[in-house]
Amino acid sequence: MDIELLSATKSFGGWLKRYKHRSRVLNCDMIFAIYLPPAAEEKKVPLLWWLSGLTCTDENFMQKAGAQRMAAELGIAIACPDTSPRGSDLPGEHDSYDFGSGAGFYVNATRSPWSQHYRMYDYVTNELPALVNRHFPLNGRESISGHSMGGHGALICALKNPGRYRSVSAFAPITHPSQCPWGEKAFSGYLGEDREAWKAWDSCELIRQHGSELPLLVDQGEADNFYTDGQLLPEDLQAACQEAGVKLELRMQPGYDHSYFFIASFIDDHLKYHAEKLK
């Protein structure tokens, strides 16, 4: 077996399981989580990918979002990868929360030494999907969502792979990373100083260049300190979508911050949205 079961917990009639495997793409051992609804015991089910944000692991969403009840009702599996390679111990990898460990930004690094391990885009779009489809009762229909850095990841995965996902949504995504401090730091480290190369990993730039066949659903808390600090830039995403004629439902939520309390408040809306597209 190429995956090792670490834990299995029953939840709303389904099973939340965590697995360890060796990633050839990332050149390290990785852990991922998957929630299998009760329906998965009788038939193959659709899958929602969830990409988490800075500092998170596979566990944050599964423990804090409260998604299992609705996923069980809708018959949707949810897979949560980790947010970066683990155990490579590169120089400076653990020095800050927004670069290196826990902060892979879902790009394929081209700058040494990060390019030896930090290829999270290939991991979440190719290697891990092949693994989960080999081991679990999935029907091949996939959607993708995420939060913050993971919202950025969900958007670029959908935009760079037309026809791959049935739907895409995001909570407080980093929409224009080439123009915000988090993205500038990460892209400089992983990709080098050529800002033209950054555009291939920037949702706003991808939309301007190629548009999107999929509509976008985005929730953003108005009391989110990272929104007010200029890290997330939903107004840039809105402008890019208007310019390219892409349908965007941007829901500004008064009083909500960047936390999992925000995600838990609206996760059912997103699950129902994806379930409709996954039918």
mmCIF file of all heavy atoms in Angstrom, residues 40-90:
data_model
loop_
_atom_site.group_PDB
_atom_site.id
_atom_site.type_symbol
_atom_site.label_atom_id
_atom_site.label_comp_id
_atom_site.label_asym_id
_atom_site.label_seq_id
_atom_site.Cartn_x
_atom_site.Cartn_y
_atom_site.Cartn_z
ATOM 1 N N ALA A 40 -20.765 6.976 0.544
ATOM 2 C CA ALA A 40 -19.571 6.372 -0.046
ATOM 3 C C ALA A 40 -19.476 4.878 0.253
ATOM 4 O O ALA A 40 -18.697 4.170 -0.396
ATOM 5 C CB ALA A 40 -18.317 7.089 0.445
ATOM 6 N N GLU A 41 -20.249 4.397 1.215
ATOM 7 C CA GLU A 41 -20.250 2.969 1.506
ATOM 8 C C GLU A 41 -21.089 2.189 0.506
ATOM 9 O O GLU A 41 -21.022 0.957 0.456
ATOM 10 C CB GLU A 41 -20.747 2.735 2.932
ATOM 11 C CG GLU A 41 -19.841 3.336 3.994
ATOM 12 C CD GLU A 41 -20.281 3.008 5.406
ATOM 13 O OE1 GLU A 41 -21.219 2.202 5.565
ATOM 14 O OE2 GLU A 41 -19.669 3.542 6.356
ATOM 15 N N GLU A 42 -21.883 2.899 -0.301
ATOM 16 C CA GLU A 42 -22.776 2.230 -1.240
ATOM 17 C C GLU A 42 -22.474 2.562 -2.701
ATOM 18 O O GLU A 42 -22.837 1.806 -3.596
ATOM 19 C CB GLU A 42 -24.225 2.619 -0.941
ATOM 20 C CG GLU A 42 -24.664 2.270 0.473
ATOM 21 C CD GLU A 42 -26.047 2.793 0.778
ATOM 22 O OE1 GLU A 42 -26.627 3.512 -0.080
ATOM 23 O OE2 GLU A 42 -26.564 2.499 1.878
ATOM 24 N N LYS A 43 -21.833 3.703 -2.950
ATOM 25 C CA LYS A 43 -21.595 4.122 -4.327
ATOM 26 C C LYS A 43 -20.424 5.097 -4.367
ATOM 27 O O LYS A 43 -19.955 5.572 -3.333
ATOM 28 C CB LYS A 43 -22.838 4.787 -4.904
ATOM 29 C CG LYS A 43 -23.234 6.065 -4.184
ATOM 30 C CD LYS A 43 -24.496 6.682 -4.775
ATOM 31 C CE LYS A 43 -24.861 7.970 -4.039
ATOM 32 N NZ LYS A 43 -26.076 8.588 -4.602
ATOM 33 N N LYS A 44 -19.978 5.405 -5.566
ATOM 34 C CA LYS A 44 -18.933 6.410 -5.734
ATOM 35 C C LYS A 44 -19.543 7.803 -5.595
ATOM 36 O O LYS A 44 -20.661 8.053 -6.043
ATOM 37 C CB LYS A 44 -18.258 6.256 -7.094
ATOM 38 C CG LYS A 44 -17.455 4.969 -7.224
ATOM 39 C CD LYS A 44 -16.724 4.905 -8.557
ATOM 40 C CE LYS A 44 -15.865 3.650 -8.630
ATOM 41 N NZ LYS A 44 -15.095 3.580 -9.909
ATOM 42 N N VAL A 45 -18.797 8.715 -4.985
ATOM 43 C CA VAL A 45 -19.320 10.050 -4.664
ATOM 44 C C VAL A 45 -18.420 11.128 -5.255
ATOM 45 O O VAL A 45 -17.247 10.885 -5.555
ATOM 46 C CB VAL A 45 -19.429 10.238 -3.130
ATOM 47 C CG1 VAL A 45 -20.424 9.245 -2.540
ATOM 48 C CG2 VAL A 45 -18.062 10.101 -2.459
ATOM 49 N N PRO A 46 -18.955 12.341 -5.434
ATOM 50 C CA PRO A 46 -18.124 13.461 -5.899
ATOM 51 C C PRO A 46 -17.219 13.978 -4.788
ATOM 52 O O PRO A 46 -17.437 13.682 -3.598
ATOM 53 C CB PRO A 46 -19.150 14.514 -6.311
ATOM 54 C CG PRO A 46 -20.342 14.221 -5.469
ATOM 55 C CD PRO A 46 -20.371 12.729 -5.284
ATOM 56 N N LEU A 47 -16.239 14.779 -5.164
ATOM 57 C CA LEU A 47 -15.207 15.228 -4.227
ATOM 58 C C LEU A 47 -15.035 16.735 -4.276
ATOM 59 O O LEU A 47 -14.947 17.324 -5.356
ATOM 60 C CB LEU A 47 -13.868 14.566 -4.586
ATOM 61 C CG LEU A 47 -12.643 14.979 -3.759
ATOM 62 C CD1 LEU A 47 -12.787 14.508 -2.310
ATOM 63 C CD2 LEU A 47 -11.369 14.403 -4.367
ATOM 64 N N LEU A 48 -14.980 17.340 -3.109
ATOM 65 C CA LEU A 48 -14.609 18.751 -2.971
ATOM 66 C C LEU A 48 -13.210 18.836 -2.387
ATOM 67 O O LEU A 48 -12.954 18.299 -1.307
ATOM 68 C CB LEU A 48 -15.596 19.488 -2.066
ATOM 69 C CG LEU A 48 -15.240 20.946 -1.744
ATOM 70 C CD1 LEU A 48 -15.313 21.818 -3.000
ATOM 71 C CD2 LEU A 48 -16.139 21.517 -0.646
ATOM 72 N N TRP A 49 -12.325 19.506 -3.096
ATOM 73 C CA TRP A 49 -10.995 19.796 -2.555
ATOM 74 C C TRP A 49 -11.074 21.057 -1.710
ATOM 75 O O TRP A 49 -11.658 22.059 -2.129
ATOM 76 C CB TRP A 49 -9.988 20.017 -3.687
ATOM 77 C CG TRP A 49 -9.661 18.774 -4.430
ATOM 78 C CD1 TRP A 49 -10.181 18.350 -5.620
ATOM 79 C CD2 TRP A 49 -8.720 17.769 -4.028
ATOM 80 N NE1 TRP A 49 -9.640 17.153 -5.991
ATOM 81 C CE2 TRP A 49 -8.739 16.771 -5.031
ATOM 82 C CE3 TRP A 49 -7.873 17.616 -2.934
ATOM 83 C CZ2 TRP A 49 -7.925 15.630 -4.958
ATOM 84 C CZ3 TRP A 49 -7.075 16.484 -2.863
ATOM 85 C CH2 TRP A 49 -7.103 15.515 -3.860
ATOM 86 N N TRP A 50 -10.447 21.025 -0.531
ATOM 87 C CA TRP A 50 -10.338 22.207 0.311
ATOM 88 C C TRP A 50 -8.860 22.522 0.513
ATOM 89 O O TRP A 50 -8.097 21.677 1.017
ATOM 90 C CB TRP A 50 -11.010 22.016 1.665
ATOM 91 C CG TRP A 50 -10.785 23.215 2.546
ATOM 92 C CD1 TRP A 50 -9.764 23.399 3.444
ATOM 93 C CD2 TRP A 50 -11.571 24.419 2.586
ATOM 94 N NE1 TRP A 50 -9.860 24.630 4.030
ATOM 95 C CE2 TRP A 50 -10.958 25.274 3.532
ATOM 96 C CE3 TRP A 50 -12.718 24.848 1.928
ATOM 97 C CZ2 TRP A 50 -11.472 26.546 3.829
ATOM 98 C CZ3 TRP A 50 -13.220 26.103 2.220
ATOM 99 C CH2 TRP A 50 -12.610 26.929 3.154
ATOM 100 N N LEU A 51 -8.453 23.731 0.135
ATOM 101 C CA LEU A 51 -7.076 24.180 0.311
ATOM 102 C C LEU A 51 -7.037 25.205 1.439
ATOM 103 O O LEU A 51 -7.739 26.216 1.381
ATOM 104 C CB LEU A 51 -6.538 24.789 -0.992
ATOM 105 C CG LEU A 51 -6.608 23.897 -2.233
ATOM 106 C CD1 LEU A 51 -5.946 24.592 -3.417
ATOM 107 C CD2 LEU A 51 -5.983 22.532 -1.989
ATOM 108 N N SER A 52 -6.222 24.942 2.437
ATOM 109 C CA SER A 52 -6.174 25.787 3.629
ATOM 110 C C SER A 52 -5.158 26.910 3.501
ATOM 111 O O SER A 52 -4.368 26.957 2.558
ATOM 112 C CB SER A 52 -5.866 24.930 4.865
ATOM 113 O OG SER A 52 -6.951 24.076 5.150
ATOM 114 N N GLY A 53 -5.176 27.790 4.498
ATOM 115 C CA GLY A 53 -4.374 29.002 4.462
ATOM 116 C C GLY A 53 -3.075 28.913 5.234
ATOM 117 O O GLY A 53 -2.684 27.859 5.740
ATOM 118 N N LEU A 54 -2.411 30.050 5.342
ATOM 119 C CA LEU A 54 -1.116 30.150 6.010
ATOM 120 C C LEU A 54 -1.151 29.535 7.402
ATOM 121 O O LEU A 54 -2.101 29.771 8.164
ATOM 122 C CB LEU A 54 -0.699 31.614 6.124
ATOM 123 C CG LEU A 54 -0.335 32.329 4.819
ATOM 124 C CD1 LEU A 54 -0.252 33.832 5.035
ATOM 125 C CD2 LEU A 54 0.986 31.799 4.273
ATOM 126 N N THR A 55 -0.132 28.786 7.732
ATOM 127 C CA THR A 55 0.115 28.125 9.026
ATOM 128 C C THR A 55 -0.743 26.887 9.249
ATOM 129 O O THR A 55 -0.531 26.169 10.224
ATOM 130 C CB THR A 55 -0.058 29.061 10.242
ATOM 131 O OG1 THR A 55 -1.453 29.280 10.497
ATOM 132 C CG2 THR A 55 0.659 30.387 10.040
ATOM 133 N N CYS A 56 -1.711 26.623 8.369
ATOM 134 C CA CYS A 56 -2.625 25.502 8.595
ATOM 135 C C CYS A 56 -2.014 24.171 8.149
ATOM 136 O O CYS A 56 -1.035 24.125 7.412
ATOM 137 C CB CYS A 56 -3.935 25.724 7.852
ATOM 138 S SG CYS A 56 -4.942 27.063 8.521
ATOM 139 N N THR A 57 -2.647 23.082 8.602
ATOM 140 C CA THR A 57 -2.347 21.735 8.137
ATOM 141 C C THR A 57 -3.643 21.140 7.577
ATOM 142 O O THR A 57 -4.629 21.854 7.393
ATOM 143 C CB THR A 57 -1.828 20.846 9.275
ATOM 144 O OG1 THR A 57 -2.895 20.628 10.215
ATOM 145 C CG2 THR A 57 -0.643 21.501 9.985
ATOM 146 N N ASP A 58 -3.667 19.845 7.359
ATOM 147 C CA ASP A 58 -4.891 19.186 6.918
ATOM 148 C C ASP A 58 -5.979 19.198 7.987
ATOM 149 O O ASP A 58 -7.154 18.987 7.684
ATOM 150 C CB ASP A 58 -4.583 17.730 6.554
ATOM 151 C CG ASP A 58 -4.149 16.927 7.783
ATOM 152 O OD1 ASP A 58 -3.000 17.106 8.232
ATOM 153 O OD2 ASP A 58 -4.958 16.141 8.296
ATOM 154 N N GLU A 59 -5.616 19.476 9.245
ATOM 155 C CA GLU A 59 -6.562 19.308 10.344
ATOM 156 C C GLU A 59 -7.469 20.513 10.595
ATOM 157 O O GLU A 59 -8.576 20.358 11.122
ATOM 158 C CB GLU A 59 -5.809 18.983 11.635
ATOM 159 C CG GLU A 59 -5.097 17.644 11.604
ATOM 160 C CD GLU A 59 -4.484 17.288 12.940
ATOM 161 O OE1 GLU A 59 -3.406 17.830 13.263
ATOM 162 O OE2 GLU A 59 -5.085 16.474 13.654
ATOM 163 N N ASN A 60 -7.014 21.718 10.265
ATOM 164 C CA ASN A 60 -7.772 22.917 10.659
ATOM 165 C C ASN A 60 -9.198 22.905 10.144
ATOM 166 O O ASN A 60 -10.151 23.105 10.892
ATOM 167 C CB ASN A 60 -7.054 24.174 10.176
ATOM 168 C CG ASN A 60 -5.698 24.346 10.810
ATOM 169 O OD1 ASN A 60 -4.767 23.610 10.467
ATOM 170 N ND2 ASN A 60 -5.561 25.282 11.722
ATOM 171 N N PHE A 61 -9.360 22.683 8.858
ATOM 172 C CA PHE A 61 -10.694 22.700 8.264
ATOM 173 C C PHE A 61 -11.563 21.601 8.850
ATOM 174 O O PHE A 61 -12.727 21.829 9.211
ATOM 175 C CB PHE A 61 -10.603 22.553 6.750
ATOM 176 C CG PHE A 61 -11.937 22.493 6.066
ATOM 177 C CD1 PHE A 61 -12.633 23.656 5.768
ATOM 178 C CD2 PHE A 61 -12.505 21.271 5.733
ATOM 179 C CE1 PHE A 61 -13.875 23.602 5.140
ATOM 180 C CE2 PHE A 61 -13.737 21.210 5.102
ATOM 181 C CZ PHE A 61 -14.433 22.380 4.816
ATOM 182 N N MET A 62 -11.029 20.397 8.939
ATOM 183 C CA MET A 62 -11.823 19.267 9.400
ATOM 184 C C MET A 62 -12.285 19.437 10.844
ATOM 185 O O MET A 62 -13.360 18.976 11.223
ATOM 186 C CB MET A 62 -11.024 17.974 9.251
ATOM 187 C CG MET A 62 -10.801 17.543 7.813
ATOM 188 S SD MET A 62 -12.351 17.230 6.909
ATOM 189 C CE MET A 62 -11.738 16.437 5.429
ATOM 190 N N GLN A 63 -11.496 20.123 11.658
ATOM 191 C CA GLN A 63 -11.839 20.284 13.061
ATOM 192 C C GLN A 63 -12.660 21.540 13.350
ATOM 193 O O GLN A 63 -13.419 21.575 14.319
ATOM 194 C CB GLN A 63 -10.564 20.309 13.916
ATOM 195 C CG GLN A 63 -9.812 18.998 13.921
ATOM 196 C CD GLN A 63 -8.590 19.022 14.822
ATOM 197 O OE1 GLN A 63 -8.315 20.005 15.506
ATOM 198 N NE2 GLN A 63 -7.832 17.940 14.828
ATOM 199 N N LYS A 64 -12.541 22.571 12.518
ATOM 200 C CA LYS A 64 -13.126 23.868 12.866
ATOM 201 C C LYS A 64 -14.261 24.339 11.962
ATOM 202 O O LYS A 64 -15.050 25.187 12.372
ATOM 203 C CB LYS A 64 -12.029 24.947 12.853
ATOM 204 C CG LYS A 64 -10.938 24.742 13.890
ATOM 205 C CD LYS A 64 -9.899 25.853 13.786
ATOM 206 C CE LYS A 64 -8.815 25.698 14.837
ATOM 207 N NZ LYS A 64 -7.808 26.801 14.740
ATOM 208 N N ALA A 65 -14.352 23.827 10.741
ATOM 209 C CA ALA A 65 -15.307 24.390 9.786
ATOM 210 C C ALA A 65 -16.726 23.871 9.970
ATOM 211 O O ALA A 65 -17.680 24.492 9.511
ATOM 212 C CB ALA A 65 -14.842 24.119 8.359
ATOM 213 N N GLY A 66 -16.883 22.712 10.620
ATOM 214 C CA GLY A 66 -18.210 22.149 10.791
ATOM 215 C C GLY A 66 -18.845 21.703 9.487
ATOM 216 O O GLY A 66 -20.068 21.814 9.313
ATOM 217 N N ALA A 67 -18.039 21.175 8.593
ATOM 218 C CA ALA A 67 -18.535 20.842 7.250
ATOM 219 C C ALA A 67 -19.106 19.436 7.143
ATOM 220 O O ALA A 67 -19.834 19.130 6.193
ATOM 221 C CB ALA A 67 -17.395 20.993 6.238
ATOM 222 N N GLN A 68 -18.814 18.554 8.091
ATOM 223 C CA GLN A 68 -19.168 17.147 7.920
ATOM 224 C C GLN A 68 -20.677 16.907 7.890
ATOM 225 O O GLN A 68 -21.152 16.046 7.147
ATOM 226 C CB GLN A 68 -18.523 16.303 9.028
ATOM 227 C CG GLN A 68 -17.020 16.165 8.912
ATOM 228 C CD GLN A 68 -16.253 17.265 9.615
ATOM 229 O OE1 GLN A 68 -16.800 18.313 9.932
ATOM 230 N NE2 GLN A 68 -14.978 17.013 9.887
ATOM 231 N N ARG A 69 -21.423 17.625 8.686
ATOM 232 C CA ARG A 69 -22.868 17.388 8.723
ATOM 233 C C ARG A 69 -23.485 17.612 7.347
ATOM 234 O O ARG A 69 -24.229 16.770 6.839
ATOM 235 C CB ARG A 69 -23.540 18.304 9.753
ATOM 236 C CG ARG A 69 -25.063 18.117 9.834
ATOM 237 C CD ARG A 69 -25.711 19.162 10.724
ATOM 238 N NE ARG A 69 -25.485 20.515 10.214
ATOM 239 C CZ ARG A 69 -26.181 21.062 9.218
ATOM 240 N NH1 ARG A 69 -27.151 20.374 8.608
ATOM 241 N NH2 ARG A 69 -25.922 22.286 8.809
ATOM 242 N N MET A 70 -23.198 18.754 6.733
ATOM 243 C CA MET A 70 -23.778 19.049 5.430
ATOM 244 C C MET A 70 -23.180 18.166 4.341
ATOM 245 O O MET A 70 -23.883 17.736 3.413
ATOM 246 C CB MET A 70 -23.574 20.530 5.087
ATOM 247 C CG MET A 70 -24.239 20.961 3.790
ATOM 248 S SD MET A 70 -26.022 20.638 3.718
ATOM 249 C CE MET A 70 -26.614 21.765 4.995
ATOM 250 N N ALA A 71 -21.880 17.865 4.429
ATOM 251 C CA ALA A 71 -21.262 16.978 3.442
ATOM 252 C C ALA A 71 -21.895 15.595 3.486
ATOM 253 O O ALA A 71 -22.110 14.962 2.440
ATOM 254 C CB ALA A 71 -19.762 16.884 3.684
ATOM 255 N N ALA A 72 -22.214 15.126 4.699
ATOM 256 C CA ALA A 72 -22.886 13.832 4.828
ATOM 257 C C ALA A 72 -24.269 13.874 4.198
ATOM 258 O O ALA A 72 -24.684 12.949 3.491
ATOM 259 C CB ALA A 72 -22.985 13.454 6.307
ATOM 260 N N GLU A 73 -24.997 14.947 4.437
ATOM 261 C CA GLU A 73 -26.345 15.092 3.891
ATOM 262 C C GLU A 73 -26.335 15.168 2.371
ATOM 263 O O GLU A 73 -27.201 14.590 1.699
ATOM 264 C CB GLU A 73 -26.985 16.349 4.477
ATOM 265 C CG GLU A 73 -28.403 16.616 4.020
ATOM 266 C CD GLU A 73 -28.992 17.867 4.651
ATOM 267 O OE1 GLU A 73 -28.736 18.105 5.848
ATOM 268 O OE2 GLU A 73 -29.701 18.609 3.939
ATOM 269 N N LEU A 74 -25.345 15.865 1.825
ATOM 270 C CA LEU A 74 -25.272 16.064 0.381
ATOM 271 C C LEU A 74 -24.567 14.919 -0.349
ATOM 272 O O LEU A 74 -24.611 14.853 -1.579
ATOM 273 C CB LEU A 74 -24.537 17.375 0.077
ATOM 274 C CG LEU A 74 -25.212 18.653 0.571
ATOM 275 C CD1 LEU A 74 -24.262 19.843 0.426
ATOM 276 C CD2 LEU A 74 -26.508 18.914 -0.191
ATOM 277 N N GLY A 75 -23.885 14.048 0.400
ATOM 278 C CA GLY A 75 -23.169 12.947 -0.222
ATOM 279 C C GLY A 75 -21.900 13.363 -0.929
ATOM 280 O O GLY A 75 -21.561 12.838 -1.993
ATOM 281 N N ILE A 76 -21.171 14.323 -0.338
ATOM 282 C CA ILE A 76 -19.932 14.836 -0.920
ATOM 283 C C ILE A 76 -18.741 14.437 -0.051
ATOM 284 O O ILE A 76 -18.771 14.609 1.167
ATOM 285 C CB ILE A 76 -19.963 16.369 -1.024
ATOM 286 C CG1 ILE A 76 -21.087 16.833 -1.945
ATOM 287 C CG2 ILE A 76 -18.631 16.918 -1.527
ATOM 288 C CD1 ILE A 76 -21.242 18.340 -1.964
ATOM 289 N N ALA A 77 -17.694 13.923 -0.660
ATOM 290 C CA ALA A 77 -16.426 13.714 0.036
ATOM 291 C C ALA A 77 -15.634 15.025 0.015
ATOM 292 O O ALA A 77 -15.779 15.838 -0.896
ATOM 293 C CB ALA A 77 -15.620 12.609 -0.636
ATOM 294 N N ILE A 78 -14.815 15.228 1.042
ATOM 295 C CA ILE A 78 -13.960 16.421 1.121
ATOM 296 C C ILE A 78 -12.532 15.966 1.390
ATOM 297 O O ILE A 78 -12.284 15.199 2.328
ATOM 298 C CB ILE A 78 -14.406 17.379 2.236
ATOM 299 C CG1 ILE A 78 -15.876 17.757 2.076
ATOM 300 C CG2 ILE A 78 -13.522 18.632 2.248
ATOM 301 C CD1 ILE A 78 -16.407 18.622 3.218
ATOM 302 N N ALA A 79 -11.593 16.439 0.581
ATOM 303 C CA ALA A 79 -10.178 16.117 0.769
ATOM 304 C C ALA A 79 -9.409 17.378 1.132
ATOM 305 O O ALA A 79 -9.582 18.422 0.496
ATOM 306 C CB ALA A 79 -9.591 15.497 -0.491
ATOM 307 N N CYS A 80 -8.560 17.269 2.135
ATOM 308 C CA CYS A 80 -7.757 18.400 2.618
ATOM 309 C C CYS A 80 -6.278 18.046 2.575
ATOM 310 O O CYS A 80 -5.804 17.264 3.416
ATOM 311 C CB CYS A 80 -8.134 18.763 4.052
ATOM 312 S SG CYS A 80 -9.805 19.385 4.250
ATOM 313 N N PRO A 81 -5.522 18.601 1.645
ATOM 314 C CA PRO A 81 -4.069 18.441 1.672
ATOM 315 C C PRO A 81 -3.446 19.317 2.762
ATOM 316 O O PRO A 81 -4.110 20.186 3.342
ATOM 317 C CB PRO A 81 -3.626 18.945 0.290
ATOM 318 C CG PRO A 81 -4.881 19.190 -0.484
ATOM 319 C CD PRO A 81 -5.984 19.383 0.497
ATOM 320 N N ASP A 82 -2.178 19.110 3.023
ATOM 321 C CA ASP A 82 -1.401 20.023 3.851
ATOM 322 C C ASP A 82 -1.082 21.264 3.017
ATOM 323 O O ASP A 82 -1.358 21.324 1.818
ATOM 324 C CB ASP A 82 -0.121 19.338 4.327
ATOM 325 C CG ASP A 82 0.449 19.946 5.595
ATOM 326 O OD1 ASP A 82 0.058 21.078 5.951
ATOM 327 O OD2 ASP A 82 1.299 19.295 6.240
ATOM 328 N N THR A 83 -0.485 22.266 3.655
ATOM 329 C CA THR A 83 -0.248 23.546 2.988
ATOM 330 C C THR A 83 1.189 23.740 2.505
ATOM 331 O O THR A 83 1.493 24.766 1.903
ATOM 332 C CB THR A 83 -0.602 24.701 3.938
ATOM 333 O OG1 THR A 83 0.107 24.531 5.166
ATOM 334 C CG2 THR A 83 -2.093 24.732 4.235
ATOM 335 N N SER A 84 2.056 22.786 2.775
ATOM 336 C CA SER A 84 3.445 22.880 2.298
ATOM 337 C C SER A 84 4.107 21.524 2.477
ATOM 338 O O SER A 84 3.587 20.652 3.172
ATOM 339 C CB SER A 84 4.228 23.936 3.093
ATOM 340 O OG SER A 84 4.602 23.425 4.370
ATOM 341 N N PRO A 85 5.277 21.338 1.877
ATOM 342 C CA PRO A 85 6.091 20.170 2.213
ATOM 343 C C PRO A 85 6.460 20.199 3.697
ATOM 344 O O PRO A 85 6.431 21.251 4.341
ATOM 345 C CB PRO A 85 7.340 20.339 1.337
ATOM 346 C CG PRO A 85 6.921 21.246 0.239
ATOM 347 C CD PRO A 85 5.911 22.172 0.841
ATOM 348 N N ARG A 86 6.788 19.048 4.224
ATOM 349 C CA ARG A 86 7.184 18.941 5.628
ATOM 350 C C ARG A 86 8.476 18.143 5.737
ATOM 351 O O ARG A 86 8.669 17.158 5.028
ATOM 352 C CB ARG A 86 6.095 18.260 6.451
ATOM 353 C CG ARG A 86 4.742 18.958 6.411
ATOM 354 C CD ARG A 86 4.739 20.264 7.187
ATOM 355 N NE ARG A 86 3.448 20.948 7.020
ATOM 356 C CZ ARG A 86 3.121 22.064 7.678
ATOM 357 N NH1 ARG A 86 3.977 22.624 8.511
ATOM 358 N NH2 ARG A 86 1.942 22.626 7.471
ATOM 359 N N GLY A 87 9.346 18.589 6.655
ATOM 360 C CA GLY A 87 10.536 17.823 6.984
ATOM 361 C C GLY A 87 11.740 18.059 6.099
ATOM 362 O O GLY A 87 12.763 17.400 6.262
ATOM 363 N N SER A 88 11.648 18.996 5.161
ATOM 364 C CA SER A 88 12.799 19.220 4.284
ATOM 365 C C SER A 88 13.879 20.057 4.948
ATOM 366 O O SER A 88 15.053 19.985 4.583
ATOM 367 C CB SER A 88 12.359 19.894 2.979
ATOM 368 O OG SER A 88 11.533 21.012 3.226
ATOM 369 N N ASP A 89 13.475 20.887 5.932
ATOM 370 C CA ASP A 89 14.428 21.669 6.744
ATOM 371 C C ASP A 89 15.417 22.466 5.890
ATOM 372 O O ASP A 89 16.636 22.456 6.124
ATOM 373 C CB ASP A 89 15.183 20.761 7.720
ATOM 374 C CG ASP A 89 14.262 20.180 8.783
ATOM 375 O OD1 ASP A 89 13.328 20.893 9.212
ATOM 376 O OD2 ASP A 89 14.459 19.025 9.172
ATOM 377 N N LEU A 90 14.880 23.181 4.923
ATOM 378 C CA LEU A 90 15.712 24.063 4.111
ATOM 379 C C LEU A 90 16.126 25.291 4.915
ATOM 380 O O LEU A 90 15.454 25.666 5.879
ATOM 381 C CB LEU A 90 14.936 24.506 2.875
ATOM 382 C CG LEU A 90 14.503 23.392 1.921
ATOM 383 C CD1 LEU A 90 13.583 23.939 0.842
ATOM 384 C CD2 LEU A 90 15.717 22.718 1.295
#
